[in-house]
């Protein structure tokens, strides 16, 4: 069973702040970061406490891939920051990528607003931002995805309290 910690848009948080966050949150088995990590991030020297899957955001300068596709516990993930082709503003467009990039879960960032939707057999997750929230009320947010139950929960940081992210009306694209 895997609990996946999903974060994005940590921007100006210092490396120490991010490490403190990783130590504060408990019970996760891997980390997905959807880009815009922090200025000066170097994947060769940064040591995450769990396996880290990270893609490049529009404010990242490290040598990172724009997109990643990988599997954890039989769940196929596709991650991107979402700024290219404005995917983060039209999340259902991710469904058009399924033919070339099959995935059970699409994770993205860029908007700094948490988003969750399930369409057909696909889960769309934007964890929001740990540093610069744009949601109302303002919550610095992250998500936990469970690969067994396929449930997603969103949390406020630093309180670690679960928050409700409204899900758009379900439907087929």
């Amino acid at each position: 069973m895997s609990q996946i910690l999903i974060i994005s848009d940590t921007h100006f948080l210092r490396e120490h702040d991010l490490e403190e966050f990783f130590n504060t949150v408990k019970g996760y088995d891997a980390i997905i970061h959807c880009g815009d990590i922090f200025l000066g991030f170097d994947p060769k020297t940064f040591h995450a406490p769990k396996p880290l899957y990270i893609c490049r955001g529009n404010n990242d300068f490290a040598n990172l891939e724009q997109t990643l596709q990988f599997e954890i516990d039989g769940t196929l993930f596709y991650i991107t920051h979402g700024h290219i082709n404005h995917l983060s503003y039209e999340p259902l467009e991710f469904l058009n990528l399924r033919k070339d990039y099959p995935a059970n879960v699409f994770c993205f960032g860029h908007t700094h607003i948490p988003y969750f939707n399930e369409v057909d057999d696909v889960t769309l997750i934007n964890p929001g931002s740990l540093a610069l929230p744009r949601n109302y009320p303002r919550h610095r947010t992250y998500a936990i995805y469970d690969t067994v139950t396929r449930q997603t929960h969103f949390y406020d940081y630093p309180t670690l309290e679960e928050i409700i992210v409204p899900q758009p009306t379900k439907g087929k694209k």
Side-chain angles (χ1 to χ4, degrees):
M1 170 175 10
S2 286
Q3 301 287 312
I4 312 302
L5 172 64
I6 306 169
I7 60 176
S8 188
D9 297 286
T10 51
H11 287 285
F12 64 80
L13 292 182
R14 297 174 311 217
E15 185 171 346
H16 172 77
D17 296 330
L18 202 50
E19 289 170 350
E20 183 178 300
F21 168 75
F22 289 147
N23 291 327
T24 300
V25 177
K26 303 292 183 209
Y28 62 92
D29 303 298
I31 303 163
I32 291 174
H33 195 301
C34 299
D36 284 356
I37 185 165
F38 59 81
L39 191 61
F41 171 75
D42 183 350
K44 294 176 185 163
T45 61
F46 184 75
H47 300 289
K50 302 288 181 171
L52 173 65
Y53 303 88
I54 183 170
C55 61
R56 185 171 66 228
N58 60 306
N59 291 299
D60 289 324
F61 301 100
N63 185 19
L64 299 169
E65 298 292 329
Q66 292 279 354
T67 64
L68 284 180
Q69 190 174 19
F70 53 90
E71 182 179 329
I72 301 175
D73 289 346
T75 300
L76 290 172
F77 289 86
Y78 177 93
I79 69 171
T80 187
H81 188 58
H83 63 292
I84 296 174
N85 298 324
H86 304 285
L87 286 171
S88 59
Y89 296 105
E90 295 291 338
L92 293 180
E93 290 299 316
F94 280 103
L95 301 176
N96 294 329
L97 298 176
R98 289 187 294 178
K99 182 177 180 183
D100 295 322
Y101 304 99
N104 306 107
V105 181
F106 285 92
C107 299
F108 61 99
H110 189 59
T111 65
H112 299 220
I113 299 170
Y115 175 88
F116 173 79
N117 200 349
E118 291 179 314
V119 179
D120 298 330
D121 60 345
V122 176
T123 301
L124 305 168
I125 302 169
N126 181 335
S129 173
L130 276 182
L132 301 165
R134 294 181 182 150
N135 52 332
Y136 187 81
R138 302 253 186 228
H139 289 284
R140 296 166 51 195
T141 56
Y142 64 96
I144 302 281
Y145 178 82
D146 186 308
T147 59
V148 174
T149 65
R150 295 190 60 174
Q151 292 186 347
T152 305
H153 297 273
F154 289 83
Y155 298 90
D156 176 76
Y157 183 70
T159 68
L160 308 181
E161 294 176 3
E162 186 168 2
I163 64 168
I164 303 299
V165 172
Q167 184 175 358
T169 305
K170 289 186 179 186
K172 295 185 179 193
K173 179 151 180 352

